[in-house]
Amino acid sequence: MKLIIFSLAITAVFARPQTASQPLPAKSGTSEEPIPIVRYENEGVNPDGSYQWNYETGNNIIAQEQGQLKNAGNAENEAMEVTGSYEYVADDGTKIQVTYIANENGFQPQGDHLPTPPPIPPAIQRALEWIAAHPEPEEQNNKL
């Protein structure tokens, strides 16, 4: 029993937060002043599962999001859907804007800075269209 108590005491000593002897250097071009929140609104989570929030910071970060439960009560099709956006200025001065939707189909961001896939070559596109127009018949499995 004494061994367990001693082990717990040693674990607690080594798990305590460590303090740095000197503060970390600030990133070049930044100050150590806290960045103020100039606007903040938050509503929900409401009884129907919906919510919304938005904020803006003193360094021009702006974000907003809304969420709601789609098809509430329908166990097969019930799903949470979230839409939102955020924007900020990158280190090179470029304004970054992202809008997104997240639902049963996953997270779907959109923004001019995001990479996009190359277009499907015409021959492949024609082949995909032909396959979609000519589905294979379902196999009959009567060999049991």
Side-chain angles (χ1 to χ4, degrees), residues 58-77:
N59 62 344
N60 297 320
I61 297 173
I62 301 170
Q64 61 88 27
E65 183 176 283
Q66 306 85 37
Q68 64 184 2
L69 187 60
K70 291 182 2 181
N71 303 315
N74 183 344
E76 287 185 27
N77 297 323

Side-chain angles (χ1 to χ4, degrees), residues 4 6 9 44 48 54 67 76:
I4 293 173
F6 180 72
D48 64 356
N54 64 67
E76 287 185 27

Side-chain angles (χ1 to χ4, degrees), residues 8 12 14-15 21 36 43 51 65 81-82 85 95 98 106 125 135 137 142:
L8 290 174
F14 286 108
S21 58
E43 178 188 319
Y51 70 91
E65 183 176 283
E81 181 168 89
V82 174
S85 65
K95 186 173 187 176
V98 175
Q125 184 62 44
N142 295 329

Side-chain angles (χ1 to χ4, degrees), residues 16 42 48 53 57 62 73 77 85 99 107 126 143:
R16 70 178 168 78
N42 186 17
D48 64 356
W53 55 259
T57 65
I62 301 170
N77 297 323
S85 65
T99 59
F107 180 71
R126 285 192 305 273
K143 297 179 183 180

Side-chain angles (χ1 to χ4, degrees), residues 11-35:
T11 303
V13 168
F14 286 108
R16 70 178 168 78
Q18 302 295 313
T19 58
S21 58
Q22 294 184 9
L24 295 173
K27 187 176 167 183
S28 177
T30 63
S31 68
E32 293 184 24
E33 292 292 319
I35 298 168

Side-chain angles (χ1 to χ4, degrees), residues 29-124:
T30 63
S31 68
E32 293 184 24
E33 292 292 319
I35 298 168
I37 304 293
V38 296
R39 183 175 49 86
Y40 175 76
E41 298 171 7
N42 186 17
E43 178 188 319
V45 173
N46 299 312
D48 64 356
S50 66
Y51 70 91
Q52 65 180 14
W53 55 259
N54 64 67
Y55 66 84
E56 181 176 356
T57 65
N59 62 344
N60 297 320
I61 297 173
I62 301 170
Q64 61 88 27
E65 183 176 283
Q66 306 85 37
Q68 64 184 2
L69 187 60
K70 291 182 2 181
N71 303 315
N74 183 344
E76 287 185 27
N77 297 323
E78 188 174 83
M80 190 69 183
E81 181 168 89
V82 174
T83 59
S85 65
Y86 60 90
E87 65 182 64
Y88 63 94
V89 177
D91 290 339
D92 66 359
T94 306
K95 186 173 187 176
I96 303 295
Q97 294 178 303
V98 175
T99 59
Y100 59 88
I101 185 168
N103 57 23
E104 65 276 6
N105 298 316
F107 180 71
Q108 305 153 53
Q110 294 182 347
D112 292 339
H113 68 291
L114 297 175
T116 57
I120 298 173
I124 301 296

Side-chain angles (χ1 to χ4, degrees), residues 117-134:
I120 298 173
I124 301 296
Q125 184 62 44
R126 285 192 305 273
L128 292 172
E129 290 168 357
W130 189 90
I131 291 169
H134 300 89

